[in-house]
Each structure stands twice: as structure tokens, then as C-alpha cells.
Amino acid sequence: MVRREIQRFCIYTLFLTILVLPMVGMRGPEFEARRAFTVLSVLVGVLLLTTVFRLLRETSFYRNLGQRIRQRRDRALGKIQVLPRPVALGSLFFLLALFPFAANNYVIDVAITVLIYVTLGLGLNVVVGLAGLLDLGYIAFYAVGAYTYSLLNLHYGIPFWFALPFGVVIGSLCGCIIGYPTLKMRGDYLAIVTLGFGEIIRLVLNNWDNLTKGPNGLLGMDKPKLILPSFSDGGLSWTVVPLKSLPSLYFVILAVALLTVIAVHRLNNSRIGRAWIAIREDETAAELTGIPTTLLKLLAYALGAVFAAVAGAFFAAKLSYTNPNFFVFLESCVVLSIVVLGGMGSIPGIILGALALIAIPELFRELASYRMLAFGGAMTVMMVLKPEGFIPATRRKRELHEEELESEEAADE
Amino acid sequence: MSLRLEKVSMQFGGLVALRDLDLEIPEGVIISLIGPNGAGKTTVFNLITGVYRPTEGTIHYNGHRLNGLPPHKIIALGIARTFQNIRLFKNMTALENVQVGMHCRTQSGAIRALFKTRFERAEEQRIRKRAQEILQELGIDRYQDEYAGNLPYGEQRRLEIARALATDPKILLLDEPAAGMNPKETEDLMQLILSLRNKGLTIFLVEHDMKVVMGISDRIAVLDHGQKIAEGPPRAIQQDERVIEAYLGRRHTTTGSIS
Ligand SMILES: Nc1ncnc2c1ncn2[C@@H]1O[C@H](COP(=O)(O)OP(=O)(O)OP(=O)(O)O)[C@@H](O)[C@H]1O
Ligand SMILES: [Mg+2]
């Protein structure tokens, strides 16, 4: 066991060295040794850590530790659950509502980004977590939402709230367009096709200069406006308030994120949600239980795309700017990581995942160039230690720990 | 209202799994399909439910031609099945498994779910109630909230039947439902099948346990190497020369050689 792990470690290290040194080190004709070795040492460090963890996992110490932590956690959770659910939710909501008054603009800006990614994560969760379809090009729908609003607003002056339904329709159509050819595919093929679709959208946006102004992007869209009652001059009157300040945008996007949470929760516990989970569990058996699997998979793509398109429209409106480089493959990876790290199919998990993956990197701004590295590292460590994510959906946890559960049960008997 | 297979053949590459099968399944009977391993019994089920499309011949049900229909449409016409190797949704609860079965008899779509309309809530309640009833009828309601994968083996087979019944079928295809059951469970299963038939369901049964087959079947068809070699009431089948030779005879020799 120990020998095998050490062997593996050596082989991987060698492999990484061969791969990383030339790829990272060569900048033009020169070899930047420092850069190359820093990256390599971090990678090897992560590798070493996971190896140590894997070895530790075999020892009885770790097993007991795991159990002790679980007991602690259960006890702590028990205490939290003493608070009745409405009270807990109410106070959480209160905190969220008061937050902008206690924070500066920078923090609010980060919070808005987190909320947008919560929406994206929950939308992708419909596709990946519920229906079990891999989608590596999800960010394309975000782009579709952003560009739909931008173009409608710039060319036709259509205000935000009227453009939003167009974004929803076009987003869901795109979801169907990508969904349709992939319906018969599974696994790797699906991954490649969705990845390709994401890139196609980005490249079209990048090269269709007449329409999208290419890499320069689109600038100067209106902010969303709200019609609010005001009590000036003693009487009640309605005024149109453009959402210019960050706190006001925060509230609107918070509302969007909350609506998404409610929507995904309702879908999850509906006839459609059950059918999706059945498809994820065993597609053939689902079809033979009377579920139109093709239609439902298409629906999952379309609905997932709708959430992304809405998030995209708000994103473009918030910045009054958009360009194709916001929608690179990396962004799809970030959203997928949020879903996977947070816990597929679990709403609180995804919220936590968005916080962890968006807010924490902001705290370590200076280290931005190592962000991907930290990502990869975190992902690897998570997959080794807790493949079901931070807050797993109970169902998901069962899937990934089936053998352990079975052996535990066998031990109980 | 009968299921009719006419000259149905199925070829997998060079292998002929089924050759010119004619079979009629009238309403309200228990009809069994038996035959040695690899005779093509499961293939018949797969053809009827649209998993495969017959290479030749036609399958008619109640005026509909089933060839080429996708499985979920065939299920919606009133044909339900279970699987030889259990295929439950393991990480869904027993109740959820049955609720999934009711999909094709209910309507609420995504929009209704998103707005939680009155229709959707009423339907969800109805689905839940009916699913509980079905579990109760099959005597597995105590496992309602247990994950299907955690149920004892015999109860998993029952849950498969429950899920199939949830689609409100006219014909129920059971693929070796007694496999792996103990004598008591097998006895209960026979009672269950009989009571389903008495409620007007047509049962099409594939089973290796001769006690079950001979005990409850109204009619038996025998397959060997993809061909029907006999058909008739249990008595006639038990005495049929070709069946004894092809099926029972061969089995005796194999068990003989093992011991
Ligand atoms: N998808 C397939 N591809 C190729 N060959 C198949 C396929 N399905 C079944 N067969 C072959 O068709 C023949 C009949 O198989 P089938 O599963 O119908 O037998 P069976 O009567 O159900 O046997 P058992 O009693 O073992 O369940 C076998 O030789 C099998 O290998
Ligand atoms: Mg079989």
C-alpha cells in the first residue's frame, strides 16, 4: 500500500516535471527557471499532500478522527436545528438585507458577483445535478443572456425588464439547440460536444464585428430601472429610479438569486424533478417506466440555459459593458466546480460553493495568477477526501459511498 | 384488446435470437413463456416494450402497431414490465420509485411546478396518496422512505412490480419475478399475481420456477433457440415430448453432470 502510493507519487512527479517545465518555463526563446519551478513546486506540493492524505486515510487514526468529527458536527447541527426553520431563514434573510448598509462598495461588488454565480450554479445544477448530463459549455448561455440584452438595448433602446423575456426565450432556444444533437450521447462525447458549443458561441461573438463589435465588446447599456413609490410633497407618487448604486443592484440581484433558489427547490421536488433524477439513475429503466427521456433531457438543458441567460442579462446591465472574453471556457469550469465542490443536487452546497470559489479568491487578489492552481489543487483534494462536496444532497452521498455504506452495514450485522 | 406478435424475428448481428414467433396474449389471463437459458425470452419482452425493433414481423396491441414506437409511448398504451436483473432507481426512496411510475398518467410540467399552481399541488397529493396505496397493496409500505437499494432482495422485486403497476397497465410483463426468492416469498408472489389477474390485469410471465409456472398459468408457450416449440395449457406442456426433451431433459443432464 505505502509502496504503491510512493511509486505513484514518483511517477506523477516525473510526469509533471516533463510536462510543466517546458510548458510554463518557455516564454519565447528564453527559459524562465523561477516561474517554472514555482509552478512545479506548488503542483508537486499538492500531489504530496494528497498522497499523504491517501496514506493517512488507511490508518486507524484517520478513521477515528472522521468519526469524531462527524459526531461533533452532528451535535453542532443539532444545536442549530433547535432554532425553528422559519426563524433561522428569517434571520438569514435579515442579515442579507442589512448587509449592504454595513459593507463598502468593494465588498458589495464581490457579493453581487457571488450572487450571480449562485444563480449560474443553481441553473447548471438542473442539468448536471438533477438530470445527470455533463455540460462543459454552460457559460455560453450566460453570454447569450448578456448579449441579448446588450444588443436589444443598444440597437432598439428596449429597456431591461422588457429585454429580459427575450433573453429567456433565446437562452432556452439555445439550450434546445445544443441539447438536441447531444441527446443520444453519453459521457465523453457529451462533454466534448458541449465544450465545442461553448467555444463556438464565444468565437461567433468575437468575430461578428458588425453586430458585436468583436473583442472590443459592447458599451453603454442602460441600467435596469425600478418604479418605486415615493412620498415627496406629502402625496404618494411613482418615480422611476435607475439602479445606479451598487446596493440597489445588490438588492435586485439578491432577489433574482432567491427566486432561483425557490425555482430550483420547487423543480427538485416536483414530478419533473423526480423524472430527472430517475434518468440520472438509470436512463433505460426510466424510459421503460414511461418517462419521455428525450423530451425531459431537452427540458433540463433549456431550463438550465434560462437561469444562465437571466444571470447574463443582469451581469451586462450591472457593468453596462460586455465582451467575449468574459465567457471563456475557464468560466464554465468555475461554475461546474461550484456545483461539484458544493455538492451536486444540493442547494445550500451550491451557495457555499459559490462563496468559496468566488469570494475567497477575491481575498487573495495578489495571488490571482495562481488562482487556477489553487482551483485544481482544491478540486483534487476534495475529490480524494469528500467526493460528494461540502454539503452533499443525501442521495448523492449514497451514490458515492455505496461500497462504504454496504461494508458498514455488513459490519453492523 | 389483445397483444399479438406476428412472425416476429430478431437478429443480433449473425445471431438469430428469435425466429418467426407467433404469439397471442388474450385479455385477462396469465400466460407464461418458458425455455432454457438464452432461448430468447427476455428478447421477447424487449421487443414488446420497444427496447429493440424487430428485424421482421409486427407487434400489435389493441389496434396499435408497436413496431418503432419509443418505449415510453408503449408504456403509456398500457404495457408495463419488470426486469430480470432488478433495475430500481436505487438512490430514490421506495415511494419515489412508485411516484416515478405514475409519470405517464399525470400532467404537471415545469411551469406548473415553478408556480406551484393549485392543479400541481392537488396532483402531487394525488400522486403521493396513490403511490402509498400501491405500496400498501404490495405489503411494502413500511419501506416507504427507505432507499430502494437498501430493501431486502425479495422486497426489491416487489417494488419493481409496484413501480410497474403505478403506470396503470393493462398488461404486466414479469421477467423472472421469483428469481432469488425463498419458498415463502415465492408463495406470496403467486398469490399476488393471481390477485392481479383477478382484478382484470393480463399477466405475461417469464419464469424458471416450474412450481410457479405450472401453478398459476392459464397458458404456457415454450421457446427453444428462439423458436416456439409448444404452446398450451400447463398439463399438455408437462407431457409434451419436445418440451421434455428440449427443456426438462436437458436440464436433467446438466444437473446430472454437475453432481
Ligand atoms: N443486445 C444483444 N446483443 C446481442 N445479443 C443479444 C442481445 N440481447 C440478447 N442477445 C442474445 O440473444 C439470445 C437470447 O437472449 P435472452 O436474454 O432473450 O435469453 P433468455 O431466454 O431471457 O435467457 P435467460 O433465461 O438466461 O434470461 C442470447 O443468445 C443472447 O446472448
Ligand atoms: Mg432473460
Side-chain angles (χ1 to χ4, degrees):
Chain A
M1 174 69 209
V2 178
R3 259 193 56 197
R4 224 186 50 222
E5 286 296 329
I6 291 175
Q7 235 174 25
R8 253 166 74 152
F9 174 72
C10 293
I11 293 172
Y12 287 177
T13 308
L14 190 72
F15 186 68
L16 274 178
T17 315
I18 297 172
L19 206 67
V20 168
L21 283 187
M23 268 173 54
V24 181
M26 295 308 290
R27 295 211 117 186
E30 284 145 54
F31 181 74
E32 288 183 24
R34 215 176 127 231
R35 194 177 132 93
F37 279 104
T38 329
V39 172
L40 181 66
S41 60
V42 174
L43 282 175
V44 173
V46 170
L47 195 60
L48 187 68
L49 266 178
T50 54
T51 310
V52 169
F53 269 125
R54 290 174 72 104
L55 286 172
L56 270 181
R57 231 153 73 113
E58 296 305 310
T59 62
S60 62
F61 170 76
Y62 176 86
R63 287 219 184 101
N64 295 339
L65 188 75
Q67 218 166 37
R68 250 178 289 151
I69 291 176
R70 232 171 292 153
Q71 277 170 3
R72 286 267 168 79
R73 190 194 57 192
D74 289 348
R75 230 178 294 150
L77 281 181
K79 264 181 210 147
I80 292 174
Q81 274 158 6
V82 170
L83 287 176
R85 215 175 130 102
V87 173
L89 281 180
S91 45
L92 184 69
F93 196 75
F94 193 63
L95 278 179
L96 283 173
L98 284 185
F99 169 79
F101 300 106
N104 60 27
N105 271 354
Y106 170 67
V107 176
I108 296 175
D109 195 49
V110 174
I112 291 177
T113 312
V114 170
L115 288 172
I116 288 181
Y117 275 87
V118 167
T119 310
L120 285 173
L122 288 170
L124 183 59
N125 175 55
V126 170
V127 184
V128 178
L130 292 183
L133 305 160
L134 188 55
D135 188 347
L136 292 180
Y138 187 65
I139 212 68
F141 305 124
Y142 188 50
V144 167
Y147 270 87
T148 305
Y149 169 58
S150 306
L151 291 171
L152 286 177
N153 186 260
L154 291 178
H155 289 295
Y156 303 105
I158 299 179
F160 183 83
W161 300 108
F162 292 98
L164 200 58
F166 287 97
V168 166
V169 170
I170 295 176
S172 62
L173 281 181
C174 285
C176 291
I177 290 171
I178 184 203
Y180 188 72
T182 60
L183 288 175
K184 294 258 153 68
M185 300 176 194
R186 295 187 192 187
D188 303 347
Y189 298 101
L190 192 61
I192 292 167
V193 172
T194 52
L195 187 130
F197 178 78
E199 285 300 287
I200 289 172
I201 293 270
R202 188 178 64 83
L203 288 172
V204 167
L205 294 178
N206 214 0
N207 291 302
W208 195 346
D209 280 345
N210 296 338
L211 187 70
T212 66
K213 300 229 165 64
N216 295 330
L218 297 169
L219 186 65
M221 290 79 79
D222 297 327
K223 304 268 181 203
K225 296 189 180 85
L226 281 189
I227 300 177
L228 295 174
S230 67
F231 297 95
S232 53
D233 311 331
L236 176 77
S237 65
W238 298 91
T239 46
V240 177
V241 192
L243 299 173
K244 282 229 166 68
S245 72
L246 276 176
S248 59
L249 274 168
Y250 167 86
F251 282 119
V252 172
I253 294 179
L254 178 66
V256 171
L258 286 176
L259 284 177
T260 311
V261 168
I262 294 171
V264 172
H265 179 75
R266 285 185 172 177
L267 282 175
N268 196 356
N269 295 306
S270 71
R271 166 174 174 268
I272 301 292
R274 280 192 303 269
W276 278 332
I277 297 169
I279 291 173
R280 193 186 75 202
E281 291 269 307
D282 185 338
E283 196 175 325
T284 312
E287 175 81 28
L288 285 166
T289 309
I291 290 173
T293 50
T294 316
L295 193 73
L296 275 159
K297 288 199 290 186
L298 213 52
L299 182 67
Y301 273 121
L303 273 176
V306 165
F307 291 113
V310 170
F314 277 96
F315 175 68
K318 175 197 159 215
L319 289 182
S320 284
Y321 175 64
T322 182
N323 86 51
N325 282 329
F326 289 143
F327 311 109
V328 289
F329 173 60
L330 176 63
E331 292 299 318
S332 289
C333 293
V334 171
V335 181
L336 191 62
S337 308
I338 287 173
V339 176
V340 173
L341 284 186
M344 270 199 232
S346 138
I347 294 174
I350 286 162
I351 294 171
L352 195 67
L355 264 176
L357 289 185
I358 305 301
I360 293 178
E362 283 296 329
L363 296 180
F364 302 102
R365 260 256 136 111
E366 309 83 72
L367 306 176
S369 41
Y370 293 104
R371 190 166 155 200
M372 279 325 289
L373 211 61
F375 246 51
M379 203 72 163
T380 318
V381 172
M382 278 298 281
M383 286 304 111
V384 173
L385 295 179
K386 214 166 168 351
E388 69 272 22
F390 297 133
I391 308 180
T394 32
R395 217 190 291 287
R396 195 72 200 164
K397 189 160 170 185
R398 274 184 45 77
E399 275 164 40
L400 288 158
H401 288 291
E402 240 159 51
E403 295 125 56
E404 280 170 45
L405 280 175
E406 270 158 29
S407 59
E408 261 171 44
E409 272 156 26
D412 287 346
E413 278 161 15
Chain B
M1 276 304 274
S2 71
L3 180 66
R4 213 169 63 244
L5 287 77
E6 271 169 27
K7 297 232 168 299
V8 170
S9 299
M10 185 69 210
Q11 220 167 330
F12 295 108
L15 181 100
V16 182
L18 214 61
R19 192 188 302 266
D20 290 337
L21 178 68
D22 284 307
L23 198 64
E24 169 133 17
I25 298 156
E27 204 180 338
V29 300
I30 299 178
I31 180 160
S32 289
L33 187 63
I34 62 172
N37 290 103
K41 306 179 295 289
T42 300
T43 304
V44 172
F45 277 16
N46 283 338
L47 289 171
I48 295 173
T49 51
V51 179
Y52 307 134
R53 202 190 167 123
T55 34
E56 266 166 72
T58 50
I59 304 174
H60 282 282
Y61 170 66
N62 195 14
H64 299 270
R65 194 184 140 100
L66 301 188
N67 300 47
L69 280 187
H72 72 266
K73 292 227 169 100
I74 296 176
I75 307 298
L77 287 177
I79 301 176
R81 71 174 284 183
T82 65
F83 300 89
Q84 183 171 353
N85 39 355
I86 300 175
R87 290 184 85 158
L88 289 167
F89 309 119
K90 281 198 212 155
N91 296 301
M92 303 179 85
T93 64
L95 187 72
E96 285 172 328
N97 268 272
V98 180
Q99 287 176 313
V100 169
M102 295 183 66
H103 189 96
C104 62
R105 300 287 171 230
T106 43
Q107 284 150 38
S108 298
I111 305 287
R112 279 184 172 140
L114 285 174
F115 292 101
K116 270 220 166 295
T117 60
R118 186 183 294 174
F119 180 89
E120 197 263 357
R121 273 175 296 161
E123 190 175 74
E124 274 298 296
Q125 233 168 21
R126 197 157 54 79
I127 291 174
R128 195 182 166 80
K129 208 166 135 246
R130 177 76 190 118
Q132 281 169 335
E133 272 169 24
I134 294 174
L135 285 178
Q136 229 157 39
E137 278 164 27
L138 294 211
I140 45 175
D141 47 321
R142 65 181 175 288
Y143 295 113
Q144 177 178 317
D145 296 320
E146 189 61 70
Y147 287 111
N150 286 354
L151 262 59
Y153 191 79
E155 318 291 25
Q156 290 196 14
R157 289 227 173 264
R158 277 186 168 252
L159 182 54
E160 275 225 328
I161 298 177
R163 185 178 67 184
L165 288 175
T167 66
D168 196 16
K170 307 254 176 4
I171 301 185
L172 183 59
L173 314 185
L174 299 170
D175 201 346
E176 304 201 14
M181 283 191 172
N182 63 35
K184 165 83 173 57
E185 286 171 330
T186 307
E187 180 58 38
D188 292 344
L189 178 74
M190 287 167 69
Q191 291 313 316
L192 172 68
I193 295 176
L194 283 172
S195 78
L196 289 175
R197 195 264 318 260
N198 293 342
K199 276 187 208 152
L201 224 65
T202 308
I203 310 278
F204 189 10
L205 177 71
V206 164
E207 183 51 62
H208 275 304
D209 188 330
M210 281 308 132
K211 199 168 141 270
V212 177
V213 173
M214 296 302 163
I216 60 175
S217 305
D218 298 311
R219 241 183 130 66
I220 299 175
V222 188
L223 272 187
D224 188 26
H225 290 301
Q227 273 177 309
K228 187 166 82 176
I229 56 171
E231 188 178 348
R235 272 192 176 212
I237 293 297
Q238 268 168 322
Q239 283 150 16
D240 189 298
E241 284 295 323
R242 292 183 64 184
V243 176
I244 294 170
E245 188 201 328
Y247 187 32
L248 305 171
R250 200 178 311 163
R251 181 169 260 199
H252 279 304
T253 52
T254 45
T255 44
S257 66
I258 288 166
S259 55

mmCIF file of all heavy atoms in Angstrom, chain A residues 327-355:
data_model
loop_
_atom_site.group_PDB
_atom_site.id
_atom_site.type_symbol
_atom_site.label_atom_id
_atom_site.label_comp_id
_atom_site.label_asym_id
_atom_site.label_seq_id
_atom_site.Cartn_x
_atom_site.Cartn_y
_atom_site.Cartn_z
ATOM 1 N N PHE A 327 -16.499 35.209 -21.303
ATOM 2 C CA PHE A 327 -17.206 33.923 -21.411
ATOM 3 C C PHE A 327 -16.308 32.802 -21.908
ATOM 4 O O PHE A 327 -16.686 31.986 -22.733
ATOM 5 C CB PHE A 327 -18.422 34.087 -22.335
ATOM 6 C CG PHE A 327 -19.248 35.275 -21.962
ATOM 7 C CD1 PHE A 327 -19.273 36.409 -22.756
ATOM 8 C CD2 PHE A 327 -19.968 35.278 -20.782
ATOM 9 C CE1 PHE A 327 -20.015 37.517 -22.393
ATOM 10 C CE2 PHE A 327 -20.715 36.381 -20.411
ATOM 11 C CZ PHE A 327 -20.743 37.499 -21.217
ATOM 12 N N VAL A 328 -15.090 32.796 -21.378
ATOM 13 C CA VAL A 328 -14.141 31.752 -21.798
ATOM 14 C C VAL A 328 -14.451 30.432 -21.092
ATOM 15 O O VAL A 328 -15.211 30.389 -20.122
ATOM 16 C CB VAL A 328 -12.696 32.168 -21.489
ATOM 17 C CG1 VAL A 328 -12.267 33.274 -22.428
ATOM 18 C CG2 VAL A 328 -12.561 32.576 -20.046
ATOM 19 N N PHE A 329 -13.844 29.380 -21.586
ATOM 20 C CA PHE A 329 -14.049 28.041 -21.055
ATOM 21 C C PHE A 329 -13.808 27.981 -19.548
ATOM 22 O O PHE A 329 -14.521 27.292 -18.821
ATOM 23 C CB PHE A 329 -13.120 27.068 -21.790
ATOM 24 C CG PHE A 329 -13.114 25.694 -21.210
ATOM 25 C CD1 PHE A 329 -14.284 24.955 -21.143
ATOM 26 C CD2 PHE A 329 -11.944 25.133 -20.726
ATOM 27 C CE1 PHE A 329 -14.290 23.689 -20.602
ATOM 28 C CE2 PHE A 329 -11.947 23.861 -20.185
ATOM 29 C CZ PHE A 329 -13.110 23.146 -20.126
ATOM 30 N N LEU A 330 -12.803 28.761 -19.118
ATOM 31 C CA LEU A 330 -12.493 28.789 -17.688
ATOM 32 C C LEU A 330 -13.736 29.074 -16.844
ATOM 33 O O LEU A 330 -13.931 28.496 -15.781
ATOM 34 C CB LEU A 330 -11.439 29.869 -17.437
ATOM 35 C CG LEU A 330 -11.061 30.106 -15.981
ATOM 36 C CD1 LEU A 330 -10.434 28.857 -15.394
ATOM 37 C CD2 LEU A 330 -10.097 31.269 -15.875
ATOM 38 N N GLU A 331 -14.596 29.987 -17.346
ATOM 39 C CA GLU A 331 -15.787 30.336 -16.574
ATOM 40 C C GLU A 331 -16.739 29.140 -16.442
ATOM 41 O O GLU A 331 -17.346 28.925 -15.393
ATOM 42 C CB GLU A 331 -16.510 31.514 -17.216
ATOM 43 C CG GLU A 331 -15.747 32.823 -17.131
ATOM 44 C CD GLU A 331 -15.504 33.268 -15.689
ATOM 45 O OE1 GLU A 331 -16.432 33.152 -14.878
ATOM 46 O OE2 GLU A 331 -14.375 33.709 -15.394
ATOM 47 N N SER A 332 -16.851 28.374 -17.521
ATOM 48 C CA SER A 332 -17.654 27.146 -17.426
ATOM 49 C C SER A 332 -17.093 26.243 -16.337
ATOM 50 O O SER A 332 -17.833 25.637 -15.565
ATOM 51 C CB SER A 332 -17.646 26.391 -18.756
ATOM 52 O OG SER A 332 -18.397 27.065 -19.712
ATOM 53 N N CYS A 333 -15.752 26.180 -16.299
ATOM 54 C CA CYS A 333 -15.110 25.335 -15.284
ATOM 55 C C CYS A 333 -15.436 25.830 -13.890
ATOM 56 O O CYS A 333 -15.714 25.035 -12.993
ATOM 57 C CB CYS A 333 -13.596 25.333 -15.449
ATOM 58 S SG CYS A 333 -13.068 24.553 -16.936
ATOM 59 N N VAL A 334 -15.402 27.169 -13.722
ATOM 60 C CA VAL A 334 -15.676 27.720 -12.394
ATOM 61 C C VAL A 334 -17.086 27.322 -11.957
ATOM 62 O O VAL A 334 -17.290 26.838 -10.844
ATOM 63 C CB VAL A 334 -15.520 29.256 -12.402
ATOM 64 C CG1 VAL A 334 -16.013 29.841 -11.087
ATOM 65 C CG2 VAL A 334 -14.072 29.633 -12.640
ATOM 66 N N VAL A 335 -18.053 27.494 -12.857
ATOM 67 C CA VAL A 335 -19.432 27.177 -12.480
ATOM 68 C C VAL A 335 -19.575 25.682 -12.186
ATOM 69 O O VAL A 335 -20.198 25.288 -11.195
ATOM 70 C CB VAL A 335 -20.420 27.603 -13.593
ATOM 71 C CG1 VAL A 335 -21.843 27.284 -13.173
ATOM 72 C CG2 VAL A 335 -20.284 29.068 -13.881
ATOM 73 N N LEU A 336 -18.963 24.868 -13.020
ATOM 74 C CA LEU A 336 -19.034 23.428 -12.784
ATOM 75 C C LEU A 336 -18.389 23.076 -11.444
ATOM 76 O O LEU A 336 -18.899 22.247 -10.690
ATOM 77 C CB LEU A 336 -18.356 22.677 -13.933
ATOM 78 C CG LEU A 336 -18.583 21.183 -13.954
ATOM 79 C CD1 LEU A 336 -20.062 20.885 -14.120
ATOM 80 C CD2 LEU A 336 -17.803 20.519 -15.073
ATOM 81 N N SER A 337 -17.265 23.744 -11.140
ATOM 82 C CA SER A 337 -16.596 23.481 -9.861
ATOM 83 C C SER A 337 -17.502 23.852 -8.698
ATOM 84 O O SER A 337 -17.529 23.153 -7.685
ATOM 85 C CB SER A 337 -15.304 24.288 -9.749
ATOM 86 O OG SER A 337 -14.507 24.085 -10.873
ATOM 87 N N ILE A 338 -18.231 24.963 -8.853
ATOM 88 C CA ILE A 338 -19.153 25.369 -7.786
ATOM 89 C C ILE A 338 -20.157 24.250 -7.529
ATOM 90 O O ILE A 338 -20.408 23.869 -6.388
ATOM 91 C CB ILE A 338 -19.883 26.673 -8.170
ATOM 92 C CG1 ILE A 338 -18.914 27.838 -8.077
ATOM 93 C CG2 ILE A 338 -21.090 26.901 -7.274
ATOM 94 C CD1 ILE A 338 -19.464 29.144 -8.589
ATOM 95 N N VAL A 339 -20.686 23.702 -8.615
ATOM 96 C CA VAL A 339 -21.698 22.652 -8.462
ATOM 97 C C VAL A 339 -21.081 21.399 -7.847
ATOM 98 O O VAL A 339 -21.637 20.800 -6.933
ATOM 99 C CB VAL A 339 -22.334 22.324 -9.827
ATOM 100 C CG1 VAL A 339 -23.315 21.176 -9.693
ATOM 101 C CG2 VAL A 339 -23.035 23.537 -10.384
ATOM 102 N N VAL A 340 -19.915 21.028 -8.345
ATOM 103 C CA VAL A 340 -19.319 19.769 -7.893
ATOM 104 C C VAL A 340 -18.758 19.900 -6.480
ATOM 105 O O VAL A 340 -18.997 19.043 -5.627
ATOM 106 C CB VAL A 340 -18.212 19.318 -8.869
ATOM 107 C CG1 VAL A 340 -17.480 18.116 -8.331
ATOM 108 C CG2 VAL A 340 -18.813 19.008 -10.218
ATOM 109 N N LEU A 341 -18.035 20.988 -6.229
ATOM 110 C CA LEU A 341 -17.448 21.160 -4.897
ATOM 111 C C LEU A 341 -18.524 21.356 -3.846
ATOM 112 O O LEU A 341 -18.438 20.837 -2.744
ATOM 113 C CB LEU A 341 -16.509 22.362 -4.874
ATOM 114 C CG LEU A 341 -15.145 22.189 -5.511
ATOM 115 C CD1 LEU A 341 -14.303 23.430 -5.277
ATOM 116 C CD2 LEU A 341 -14.434 20.983 -4.945
ATOM 117 N N GLY A 342 -19.528 22.134 -4.198
ATOM 118 C CA GLY A 342 -20.569 22.436 -3.228
ATOM 119 C C GLY A 342 -21.389 21.206 -2.884
ATOM 120 O O GLY A 342 -21.810 21.022 -1.762
ATOM 121 N N GLY A 343 -21.587 20.357 -3.849
ATOM 122 C CA GLY A 343 -22.395 19.170 -3.612
ATOM 123 C C GLY A 343 -23.515 19.139 -4.620
ATOM 124 O O GLY A 343 -24.480 19.881 -4.526
ATOM 125 N N MET A 344 -23.358 18.248 -5.599
ATOM 126 C CA MET A 344 -24.340 18.190 -6.682
ATOM 127 C C MET A 344 -25.745 17.964 -6.163
ATOM 128 O O MET A 344 -25.966 17.126 -5.307
ATOM 129 C CB MET A 344 -23.995 17.024 -7.591
ATOM 130 C CG MET A 344 -23.067 17.416 -8.687
ATOM 131 S SD MET A 344 -23.173 16.196 -9.951
ATOM 132 C CE MET A 344 -21.446 15.834 -10.141
ATOM 133 N N GLY A 345 -26.673 18.704 -6.695
ATOM 134 C CA GLY A 345 -28.062 18.493 -6.324
ATOM 135 C C GLY A 345 -28.453 19.135 -5.011
ATOM 136 O O GLY A 345 -29.602 19.090 -4.611
ATOM 137 N N SER A 346 -27.491 19.760 -4.323
ATOM 138 C CA SER A 346 -27.817 20.340 -3.015
ATOM 139 C C SER A 346 -27.754 21.856 -3.090
ATOM 140 O O SER A 346 -26.725 22.436 -3.436
ATOM 141 C CB SER A 346 -26.833 19.805 -1.973
ATOM 142 O OG SER A 346 -26.423 20.816 -1.101
ATOM 143 N N ILE A 347 -28.869 22.513 -2.767
ATOM 144 C CA ILE A 347 -28.924 23.969 -2.922
ATOM 145 C C ILE A 347 -27.986 24.685 -1.940
ATOM 146 O O ILE A 347 -27.193 25.524 -2.359
ATOM 147 C CB ILE A 347 -30.380 24.464 -2.795
ATOM 148 C CG1 ILE A 347 -31.190 23.921 -3.985
ATOM 149 C CG2 ILE A 347 -30.446 25.973 -2.761
ATOM 150 C CD1 ILE A 347 -32.663 24.195 -3.930
ATOM 151 N N PRO A 348 -28.020 24.344 -0.624
ATOM 152 C CA PRO A 348 -27.081 25.022 0.279
ATOM 153 C C PRO A 348 -25.630 24.773 -0.124
ATOM 154 O O PRO A 348 -24.791 25.664 -0.015
ATOM 155 C CB PRO A 348 -27.359 24.396 1.650
ATOM 156 C CG PRO A 348 -28.582 23.596 1.515
ATOM 157 C CD PRO A 348 -28.884 23.397 0.078
ATOM 158 N N GLY A 349 -25.356 23.573 -0.607
ATOM 159 C CA GLY A 349 -23.997 23.250 -1.030
ATOM 160 C C GLY A 349 -23.528 24.175 -2.131
ATOM 161 O O GLY A 349 -22.398 24.663 -2.112
ATOM 162 N N ILE A 350 -24.404 24.441 -3.085
ATOM 163 C CA ILE A 350 -24.009 25.269 -4.223
ATOM 164 C C ILE A 350 -23.804 26.717 -3.794
ATOM 165 O O ILE A 350 -22.882 27.394 -4.251
ATOM 166 C CB ILE A 350 -25.049 25.143 -5.342
ATOM 167 C CG1 ILE A 350 -24.863 23.772 -5.993
ATOM 168 C CG2 ILE A 350 -24.896 26.242 -6.367
ATOM 169 C CD1 ILE A 350 -26.027 23.314 -6.795
ATOM 170 N N ILE A 351 -24.626 27.182 -2.856
ATOM 171 C CA ILE A 351 -24.437 28.546 -2.347
ATOM 172 C C ILE A 351 -23.074 28.645 -1.667
ATOM 173 O O ILE A 351 -22.300 29.575 -1.900
ATOM 174 C CB ILE A 351 -25.576 28.913 -1.372
ATOM 175 C CG1 ILE A 351 -26.896 28.962 -2.153
ATOM 176 C CG2 ILE A 351 -25.296 30.244 -0.701
ATOM 177 C CD1 ILE A 351 -28.119 29.097 -1.296
ATOM 178 N N LEU A 352 -22.762 27.647 -0.868
ATOM 179 C CA LEU A 352 -21.466 27.632 -0.190
ATOM 180 C C LEU A 352 -20.335 27.531 -1.210
ATOM 181 O O LEU A 352 -19.305 28.200 -1.089
ATOM 182 C CB LEU A 352 -21.411 26.440 0.778
ATOM 183 C CG LEU A 352 -20.295 26.501 1.807
ATOM 184 C CD1 LEU A 352 -20.547 27.637 2.773
ATOM 185 C CD2 LEU A 352 -20.182 25.182 2.552
ATOM 186 N N GLY A 353 -20.540 26.714 -2.228
ATOM 187 C CA GLY A 353 -19.525 26.556 -3.275
ATOM 188 C C GLY A 353 -19.249 27.880 -3.965
ATOM 189 O O GLY A 353 -18.089 28.239 -4.204
ATOM 190 N N ALA A 354 -20.304 28.642 -4.256
ATOM 191 C CA ALA A 354 -20.118 29.932 -4.923
ATOM 192 C C ALA A 354 -19.351 30.882 -4.010
ATOM 193 O O ALA A 354 -18.440 31.582 -4.448
ATOM 194 C CB ALA A 354 -21.473 30.534 -5.289
ATOM 195 N N LEU A 355 -19.699 30.881 -2.735
ATOM 196 C CA LEU A 355 -18.966 31.713 -1.775
ATOM 197 C C LEU A 355 -17.496 31.341 -1.769
ATOM 198 O O LEU A 355 -16.619 32.200 -1.852
ATOM 199 C CB LEU A 355 -19.541 31.497 -0.366
ATOM 200 C CG LEU A 355 -20.569 32.504 0.116
ATOM 201 C CD1 LEU A 355 -21.093 32.079 1.470
ATOM 202 C CD2 LEU A 355 -19.937 33.882 0.201
#
